[in-house]
Each structure stands twice: as structure tokens, then as C-alpha cells.
Amino acid sequence: MKKFIAAVLCLICIFGFSSCNSFLFKLPGVIVPAVIDGIGKYNDYMDMSVEELMSLSDFELHDALIYRVTDKVFSKSSFKEGLDSLNEKERVYYICENYEMQVYDGGLCTFFFNSQKEELEEIFSCLEKIGALEHKKLLEDFIAENNIDINDFADINSGGTKAEFREKYDALSRAYPFDDFDNAFMELELLDSYILKYVRENIGYFG
């Protein structure tokens, strides 16, 4: 829930407060207070210095980085342009964080289905850079054992109607034993711990 609210807030704020008021009141009642409270936090987090970021708890630092880095990505006219606007450390963070969020949200199938070409190509090196070697090996082994060409997923969710979109997702979910991967993923050390350690060691790049 924390990550969902953070993502919603970031997207709302990126597109401007003038267009988000009506959207806010359509959100489920349980989410609205958190979203409204989070808008103030968004402004605070965006204005923080590196020293202030470093002083945050892991919980707060996590939310602050989602706001700050995602804001950079989605402030550009295309995903590629947004990703390319990040420095190397931010890029590693963004790709690993999105991978972790997608897998926890709907499993590896969701990551494959929702990810852009750059994320699919770079996830292995990014996991290595943050020291999550067991996570990297799990993903590599799953791909090798199931003869998967990860490039096949680059444009899988582009175009089509909502029904066609759902049909493609369902077909992908049946094509490979994703439950096996997802269960093994949950047994590993939390990816968040590697991500936050990487961020704190490179905090100067997130200013």
C-alpha cells in the first residue's frame, strides 16, 4: 500500500495540481487521507538536501526517492528520455525499485509485461551493482531453464484494446511457471535492503 500511494502521489503531482483535484475525490475513501497528506510530504521530499535525505529513516528515504526519481522520469516526453535523464546511480535505483515493485505487485509475469526495453536489458547488471547476486542468479536461472528470450517482452503490452491487453497478459502468465519464480523470490533477502544500502552508499548522487 505504501508504494501504491507513493506512485499515485508522484504521478498526480507530476501532472500538476490543477488537474488532480477531481481525481483525488474519486479515490477510495481509505486512500484519500493518505494521498492528501502525502502531497505535503512530496513537496518536503523534493526540497531536501543530501544531508536531510541521509538523516531520514529507511521508510521515509524509500518514499522520498520514489518521489524524486520518478518525478524526473515522468517529467520528460517519453520513458526513454526520462530514464536517460537520470545519472547512473539513479538509473540503477529506478530499475531495481521498479523490478521489486512489479514482482511484489503481480509477480515476475507483471514485470515482464509492464517493463520497457531498457529495463529488461539492464535489470541483470543493475541487480549486480546493488549486490543482489542471489536475486540476479534466480532471474538468470529462470530465464535459462525456460528458454526465454527476454527481448520478446519489450513491446508485449503496446497497442490493442483493454480486452486484448488482458488476453495477452493471461497468455503470458500461462506460458511459464511464474509461481515457482515468485515463491523463490519471496524466500530471498528483501530486495529493498540491497536498494537502500546502495542508495545510502551513493546518496550524493540523489541530491
Side-chain angles (χ1 to χ4, degrees):
M1 178 63 73
K2 169 172 69 76
K3 290 186 176 181
F4 168 74
I5 292 171
V8 168
L9 280 168
C10 194
L11 290 173
I12 289 172
C13 294
I14 287 166
F15 290 111
F17 292 106
S18 61
S19 63
C20 78
N21 290 336
S22 61
F23 175 76
L24 280 175
F25 291 104
K26 294 178 182 178
L27 291 172
V30 69
I31 296 176
V32 171
V35 170
I36 293 173
D37 177 62
I39 289 174
K41 290 182 178 179
Y42 170 89
N43 291 326
D44 291 340
Y45 289 146
M46 295 300 288
D47 292 336
M48 282 185 176
S49 66
V50 168
E51 291 73 20
E52 289 172 321
L53 287 173
M54 194 62 177
S55 70
L56 295 175
S57 67
D58 284 350
F59 183 90
E60 292 176 307
L61 180 59
H62 177 276
D63 283 353
L65 290 174
I66 286 180
Y67 291 134
R68 291 165 72 105
V69 178
T70 305
D71 183 276
K72 287 186 178 183
V73 174
F74 287 97
S75 66
K76 304 300 181 181
S77 59
S78 70
F79 174 79
K80 185 180 187 307
E81 185 182 351
L83 194 64
D84 288 346
S85 73
L86 304 179
N87 64 50
E88 180 194 357
K89 309 301 183 185
E90 290 172 326
R91 190 178 181 109
V92 168
Y93 162 80
Y94 179 86
I95 291 174
C96 289
E97 176 62 31
N98 184 59
Y99 173 69
E100 189 257 4
M101 189 182 298
Q102 296 275 4
V103 175
Y104 271 116
D105 180 54
L108 182 62
C109 179
T110 297
F111 172 74
F112 282 163
F113 194 77
N114 289 335
S115 295
Q116 302 295 315
K117 177 176 180 289
E118 294 81 6
E119 296 171 282
L120 293 168
E121 290 177 344
E122 297 176 38
I123 183 57
F124 307 101
S125 63
C126 288
L127 289 172
E128 183 169 353
K129 286 174 182 176
I130 68 170
L133 301 183
E134 289 185 328
H135 282 274
K136 178 174 179 272
K137 185 177 187 304
L138 176 65
L139 182 57
E140 289 176 332
D141 288 350
F142 183 82
I143 287 172
E145 290 166 5
N146 291 281
N147 298 311
I148 294 173
D149 182 351
I150 201 168
N151 294 313
D152 291 343
F153 306 128
D155 298 312
I156 193 172
N157 67 353
S158 61
T161 65
K162 185 176 180 180
E164 290 171 335
F165 183 91
R166 185 70 215 183
E167 185 178 341
K168 286 193 289 185
Y169 181 88
D170 289 343
L172 176 61
S173 69
R174 295 190 297 268
Y176 304 103
F178 286 113
D179 285 348
D180 293 346
F181 176 92
D182 297 340
N183 291 334
F185 181 92
M186 296 302 175
E187 294 296 320
L188 298 179
E189 183 176 349
L190 289 175
L191 195 54
D192 259 352
S193 64
Y194 293 100
I195 294 172
L196 286 167
K197 182 175 183 291
Y198 178 83
V199 167
R200 289 196 182 277
E201 289 174 348
N202 297 281
I203 196 67
Y205 292 91
F206 293 85

